Amino acid sequence: MDEQPRLMHSHTGVGMAGHPGLPQHMQEGTGGTDGDGRKQDIGDILQQIMTITDQSLDEAQARKHALNCHRMKPALFNVLCEIKEKTVLSIRGAQEEEPPDPQLMRLDNMLLAEGVSGPEKGGGSAAAAAAAAASGGVGADNSAEHSDYRAKLSQIRQIYHTELEKYEQACNEFTTHVMNLLREQSRTRPISPKEIERMVNIIHRKFSSIQMQLKQSTCEAVMILRSRFLDARRKRRNFNKQATEILNEYFYSHLSNPYPSEEAKEELAKKCAITVAQVSNWFGNKRIRYKKNIGKFQEEANMYAARTAVNAANASSHGSQANSPSTPNSAAFLCSVSFLPLSSSDLTEPVWLRANLRMLLARAAAWTGRLASSACSLSLCDSTAPSLLSGSAGSFNMSNSGDLFMSVQSLNGDSYQGAQVGANVQSQVDTLRHVISQTGGYSEGLTANQMYSPQGINANGGWQDAPTPSSVTSPTEGPGSVHSDTSN
DNA sequence: CTCTATGATTGTGT
DNA sequence: ACACAATCATAGAG
């Protein structure tokens, strides 16, 4: 019974179809020793199978037909079935259900998010819009770039879909081809539907790995495009002068607590035509840089503080002609001018306003250096008052803030005379705070514990002790206190 | 080109 | 979630 081994040999040989050396070897093996006719026939048939791929199509068809009609064909088929019985075990073991590839899922998700693989309309532009928002684009000046981005993205999208379609088509064609081939072969050798299915799976896996490469390179292309067109760092543009001035004005007029509330941020963002995130960035940068190098910002601080005071005075005098500061209108104006989310009642109480102003005037006089000792006992109705004066007033270095005080004092005079004290109170408070923070808080000659602490920059040079904008309150203050930042 | 200014991002702490 | 600090990367002035 040496038939079986030879068949096994030949069977493995089928897997290596087209091997040029094999037919010769087979011939040697079959025609050599016994010369048995049956074996000779089987050998011939096998040889024909082996060489079938080397033949032309017509010739192959003819031979295939001859093979199918061969008298020994059923016998060969039975033998193959027998062999199959033995090998099918190993095939069965090889079946495994693969979980979805996480990398492929990542790529799919990303392509979907970028609007490449999603629905045609909206996806790409939505992604572009999102990217535009992320880059903080103002709109007008880089809309051209965004349309360019969108065009490029849709180009990528198109290429991706074309390629994907091509791959899918090729996959289907190849699968059909293989299935036909297997069906054809199933007439000659035993092939179960399971095997066909398995083969199809293998083909699909191969093609999906190609697809993954396509997806990967598409993702890379999108990333490159994104970074080139929408990377905020690359596309950084300085804010325009007006926006910077608005931001600086707010910063220096709220120097004791430069943390704009969400509402204030939105207001600033609207005025500056930037995003709220950009406002936050700006304040973050400003705070840190101001703190790091106060000296460098002093001139700027003075300028803005003075300007704020002047603006406030103008607003106040203007308001005195049109309407009284005690009217709801002027209160609303005060809210909007200084971004104070105060209630109207907070601002329409002339008694405390006047009292505040008297305090301010007294304090201003004290701070100009003549009444240093008495200043400590004064108490501003503003929540910051106690802390503002917690340090030694006599230590404040007034040398570089005299001009500021001049302007404040004259303004106070103007507005106080007519008891029209609405709009400029807040700015004056903050202007004064500014002067304090500059002189008391930062002068190099001061020791840390002499600096005023909680509301302004603390001994460590930070505002961390300042309450959050939404909670700037004082337990001692009345209902009409001026808050540097509050939210309702 | 260098240097400084500045908007944005990232990592960390609370 | 927010602020801070460090850092990056570019803009713009010289």
Side-chain angles (χ1 to χ4, degrees):
Chain A
M1 282 289 256
D2 53 347
E3 188 179 289
Q4 189 69 6
R6 210 185 296 144
L7 274 168
M8 287 296 279
H9 192 162
S10 64
H11 178 74
T12 52
V14 172
M16 297 156 73
H19 194 286
L22 213 52
Q24 277 173 335
H25 167 82
M26 295 295 297
Q27 213 150 19
E28 278 170 28
T30 50
T33 48
D34 43 24
D36 184 81
R38 200 159 145 249
K39 283 180 187 170
Q40 179 68 54
D41 280 345
I42 292 170
D44 283 347
I45 294 165
L46 285 172
Q47 196 184 345
Q48 283 167 14
I49 292 171
M50 303 304 292
T51 55
I52 207 160
T53 51
D54 296 333
Q55 297 156 359
S56 75
L57 207 61
D58 288 341
E59 197 182 348
Q61 290 291 348
R63 276 183 186 266
K64 224 157 59 180
H65 183 71
L67 202 66
N68 280 335
C69 301
H70 198 277
R71 63 185 174 88
M72 288 303 292
K73 189 227 160 188
L76 178 66
F77 194 87
N78 283 340
V79 171
L80 287 170
C81 277
E82 246 177 70
I83 296 165
K84 189 88 174 186
E85 279 293 290
K86 287 172 184 167
T87 58
V88 81
L89 288 168
S90 61
I91 291 169
R92 213 176 283 154
Q95 283 183 339
E96 80 280 5
E97 265 307 306
E98 268 186 65
D101 188 352
Q103 202 191 342
L104 188 64
M105 278 170 68
R106 264 207 310 277
L107 290 170
D108 278 335
N109 286 341
M110 191 187 153
L111 288 172
L112 203 64
E114 293 296 331
V116 175
S117 62
E120 176 68 56
K121 222 21 189 194
S125 55
S135 74
V138 176
D141 57 337
N142 41 15
S143 62
E145 285 170 13
H146 289 159
S147 68
D148 199 3
Y149 171 83
R150 277 197 290 273
K152 286 245 175 8
L153 193 69
S154 74
Q155 209 175 321
I156 289 173
R157 187 192 157 91
Q158 202 181 338
I159 292 168
Y160 169 76
H161 281 290
T162 314
E163 290 296 308
L164 202 64
E165 215 171 295
K166 243 191 269 177
Y167 281 133
E168 269 165 12
Q169 203 181 332
C171 180
N172 286 340
E173 270 174 26
F174 191 72
T175 305
T176 315
H177 181 70
V178 168
M179 278 169 79
N180 286 341
L181 215 63
L182 286 173
R183 262 190 226 113
E184 177 80 29
Q185 282 189 16
S186 69
R187 291 164 63 192
T188 321
R189 65 185 180 97
I191 298 170
S192 68
K194 265 246 153 57
E195 276 179 280
I196 297 177
E197 198 185 314
R198 205 168 140 263
M199 188 61 85
V200 168
N201 279 342
I202 289 167
I203 293 163
H204 281 182
R205 258 208 298 274
K206 289 281 172 205
F207 271 92
S208 78
S209 80
I210 297 169
Q211 264 188 22
M212 192 151 93
Q213 282 177 25
L214 171 71
K215 284 175 180 175
Q216 202 155 9
S217 53
T218 306
C219 278
E220 278 168 21
V222 172
M223 284 294 102
I224 290 166
L225 182 73
R226 250 183 107 91
S227 68
R228 188 163 302 165
F229 279 91
L230 300 168
D231 186 340
R233 281 180 173 175
R234 278 176 169 277
K235 294 278 104 184
R236 188 180 75 75
R237 287 269 182 279
N238 289 354
F239 297 156
N240 62 39
K241 213 176 164 189
Q242 201 188 355
T244 312
E245 285 195 358
I246 290 167
L247 293 168
N248 271 318
E249 254 168 45
Y250 186 94
F251 180 81
Y252 288 113
S253 65
H254 296 76
L255 199 55
S256 63
N257 188 35
Y259 298 87
S261 64
E262 205 51 43
E263 291 89 352
K265 279 182 194 171
E266 279 167 22
E267 181 85 34
L268 286 167
K270 215 165 81 181
K271 283 193 173 191
C272 301
I274 57 177
T275 65
V276 173
Q278 283 178 300
V279 172
S280 297
N281 279 341
W282 189 92
F283 273 89
N285 284 325
K286 190 72 182 180
R287 280 191 297 265
I288 208 113
R289 282 162 188 166
Y290 180 83
K291 221 160 60 176
K292 264 186 182 168
N293 195 351
I294 302 119
K296 195 176 77 182
F297 290 96
Q298 218 159 59
E299 204 177 321
E300 188 181 71
N302 286 345
M303 189 186 80
Y304 279 104
R307 192 188 296 185
T308 305
V310 169
N311 286 346
N314 287 342
S316 171
S317 62
H318 188 73
S320 69
Q321 291 159 7
N323 50 19
S324 155
S326 60
T327 62
N329 263 359
S330 65
F333 176 74
L334 175 50
C335 288
S336 69
V337 163
S338 47
F339 304 103
L340 285 172
L342 298 172
S343 68
S344 296
S345 64
D346 286 339
L347 306 165
T348 52
E349 182 51 63
V351 177
W352 75 262
L353 282 173
R354 242 168 295 180
N356 255 354
L357 194 67
R358 266 189 223 106
M359 294 284 186
L360 284 170
L361 287 168
R363 181 101 4 87
W367 285 331
T368 39
R370 327 296 182 249
L371 296 166
S373 56
S374 66
C376 294
S377 63
L378 287 170
S379 160
L380 193 66
C381 290
D382 181 78
S383 61
T384 63
S387 53
L388 284 172
L389 293 170
S390 62
S392 161
S395 321
F396 292 140
N397 174 9
M398 306 304 294
S399 63
N400 52 10
S401 52
D403 51 340
L404 255 180
F405 270 98
M406 292 313 287
S407 69
V408 170
Q409 281 176 311
S410 66
L411 292 169
N412 284 344
D414 287 348
S415 49
Y416 182 57
Q417 297 285 315
Q420 306 297 328
V421 293
N424 63 343
V425 171
Q426 170 63 29
S427 62
Q428 283 166 358
V429 169
D430 279 310
T431 303
L432 290 169
R433 279 186 195 144
H434 161 63
V435 173
I436 294 161
S437 70
Q438 277 205 311
T439 56
Y442 295 126
S443 292
E444 48 274 36
L446 291 171
T447 58
N449 60 4
Q450 282 177 318
M451 299 176 185
Y452 77 98
S453 50
Q455 266 288 326
I457 297 173
N458 64 18
N460 296 326
W463 285 281
Q464 290 99 322
D465 288 342
T468 54
S470 54
S471 61
V472 180
T473 53
S474 163
T476 59
E477 66 188 1
S481 298
V482 173
H483 297 186
S484 62
D485 245 333
T486 56
S487 65
N488 300 336

